[in-house]
Amino acid sequence: LKQKGRDGWQFFNDYQHHQALQRLNVTLGLRLAIEREELEARFQPIVSSDRSRIVGAELLLRWFPPQGEVSPGIFIPIAEMSGAILPIGLWVFREGCRAEVEWRRRWGAHAPYVSINLSARQLTDESLLDEMRRVLMETAADPTRITLEVTETALMADIDANIRMLRRLTDMGLRLAVDDFGTGYSSLAQLTRLPVDILKIDRAFVDGIETHHESRTVVRAVISLGRSLGLQLVAEGVETQGQHLELMSGGCDLFQGYLFHAPMKPKELILAVNEQLRQ
Ligand code: C2E
Ligand code: CA
Ligand code: CA
Ligand code: CA
């Protein structure tokens, strides 16, 4: 018994040790990621129900340290803990602004809007507003063509403080999307207090829409809730034709997922939009 208990303890320890080491490595590596130019932006198109035209694109961050790619699912939470998300988030915002300007220069009114992820940690940063304002000025980006995605959980964590911050951001002209909607526990009352333009239906519900009755019920409810509030609805993680059809019949406007496009390099996005404009 003692032996077993010991093994169990040993295993747990090794695992914790590994986690701590990974966290340390990532923390140290992330500090230098910007100056070493190891960060890259990918863009995943958001398409409309009208012939799946690309109307927007979400900026998804990629990190390539010397030892190989680390996924955002790993490094973003660590960056949030260490505070590295603040300079990185600003780098991301600047990349998004640059893309907005370039796309508008290329395609004018046909340019896709840019959607940028904002972490909870950034919302509590006092210098965020001034820095964003400065980047908007420096790049001459049009804020009305930029959407900030904040997860439902992050929004509801400290709703009163967040409302003030989000109002300032939307006063600057930026648009706001609630990301991963349906996974948190926001009430209708709370949602109406936020200056929200878009609801993004979480991938987990889209995933189960064909197989799980509850997922379908949640998706239908979210769509009708969003519509009644005059919001746009984006379904994320759409992988099959069946999911797409179910979402369309439910009244969803916009779609994002491998069925349409995977996240792509900036140059690939330009080719994809040019291609559809030729048609
Ligand atoms: P998210 O914001 O929910 O982004 C959607 C994720 O789903 C992306 O993963 C995207 O590549 C993936 N995805 C898109 N379509 C499909 C599909 O059809 N099927 C499946 N299974 N997955 C799909 P990614 O790029 O690995 O990013 C993971 C998360 O990391 C993001 O989730 C977001 O929370 C965070 N993240 C990424 N970039 C940034 C960033 O610049 N700033 C912040 N704060 N977070 C970021
Ligand atoms: Ca997102
Ligand atoms: Ca999401
Ligand atoms: Ca997600």
Side-chain angles (χ1 to χ4, degrees):
L1 197 80
K2 206 172 180 183
Q3 190 61 45
K4 251 190 196 165
R6 225 184 176 174
D7 280 355
W9 178 240
Q10 188 77 43
F11 171 77
F12 190 49
N13 239 345
D14 280 351
Y15 177 71
Q16 285 189 319
H17 182 68
H18 170 78
Q19 288 248 303
L21 260 185
Q22 184 188 47
R23 209 154 48 225
L24 184 64
N25 275 326
V26 169
T27 304
L28 293 175
L30 276 175
R31 275 199 219 155
L32 301 167
I34 296 178
E35 59 183 85
R36 288 188 179 162
E37 302 186 358
E38 293 166 353
L39 299 178
E40 289 183 25
R42 295 290 181 267
F43 291 94
Q44 184 176 34
I46 295 165
V47 305
S48 71
S49 38
D50 167 36
R51 286 172 297 146
S52 303
R53 295 188 74 82
I54 298 172
V55 296
E58 178 178 0
L59 194 166
L60 292 162
L61 188 58
R62 296 292 177 261
W63 180 31
F64 301 94
Q67 62 273 26
E69 183 172 0
V70 180
S71 89
I74 302 278
F75 76 78
I76 295 282
I78 297 175
E80 284 172 345
M81 278 191 281
S82 74
I85 196 69
L86 299 181
I88 290 173
L90 199 63
W91 183 91
V92 166
F93 185 67
R94 184 174 283 112
E95 285 301 298
C97 287
R98 286 201 183 122
E100 191 286 319
V101 171
E102 190 191 345
W103 299 350
R104 187 157 37 87
R105 192 170 45 78
R106 276 176 186 279
W107 303 304
H110 297 289
Y113 73 87
V114 183
S115 209
I116 300 172
N117 291 287
L118 205 65
S119 90
R121 186 74 164 68
Q122 288 176 276
L123 281 181
T124 62
D125 177 26
E126 283 169 11
S127 46
L128 178 81
L129 288 164
D130 284 340
E131 284 166 349
M132 281 187 152
R133 214 172 270 128
R134 187 164 47 81
V135 171
L136 281 168
M137 290 227 303
E138 280 169 7
T139 56
D142 178 353
T144 65
R145 304 178 57 88
I146 296 175
T147 297
L148 300 175
E149 300 190 5
V150 186
T151 65
E152 184 186 9
T153 317
L155 280 177
M156 299 306 158
D158 185 357
I159 187 160
D160 294 308
N162 286 341
I163 287 173
R164 279 192 299 275
M165 182 59 122
L166 295 170
R167 287 224 174 277
R168 295 206 191 113
L169 290 169
T170 53
D171 283 348
M172 285 160 64
L174 295 159
R175 302 202 311 153
L176 181 66
V178 184
D179 202 357
D180 299 350
F181 191 76
T183 56
Y185 298 93
S186 49
S187 66
L188 179 62
Q190 285 171 321
L191 198 58
T192 56
R193 293 174 66 200
L194 295 167
V196 178
D197 304 285
I198 296 175
L199 292 185
K200 295 193 79 171
I201 304 168
D202 192 64
R203 189 168 80 214
F205 299 111
V206 173
D207 205 33
I209 205 172
E210 292 172 290
T211 45
H212 293 83
H213 187 68
E214 313 82 68
S215 295
R216 182 186 298 229
T217 308
V218 170
V219 168
R220 294 238 166 187
V222 168
I223 294 173
S224 73
L225 168 67
R227 302 225 113 191
S228 68
L229 293 174
L231 307 177
Q232 275 196 303
L233 291 143
V234 179
E236 57 179 25
V238 183
E239 294 182 352
T240 70
Q241 226 17 283
Q243 291 166 352
H244 184 209
L245 289 174
E246 167 61 27
L247 288 159
M248 274 203 294
S249 74
C252 187
D253 318 296
L254 301 171
F255 312 88
Q256 184 180 354
Y258 299 156
L259 176 65
F260 306 98
H261 303 276
M264 43 178 89
K265 292 182 178 173
K267 279 181 183 161
E268 295 169 327
L269 182 96
I270 288 168
L271 292 177
V273 174
N274 277 339
E275 177 64 32
Q276 86 177 9
L277 287 174
R278 266 199 297 276
Q279 286 160 7

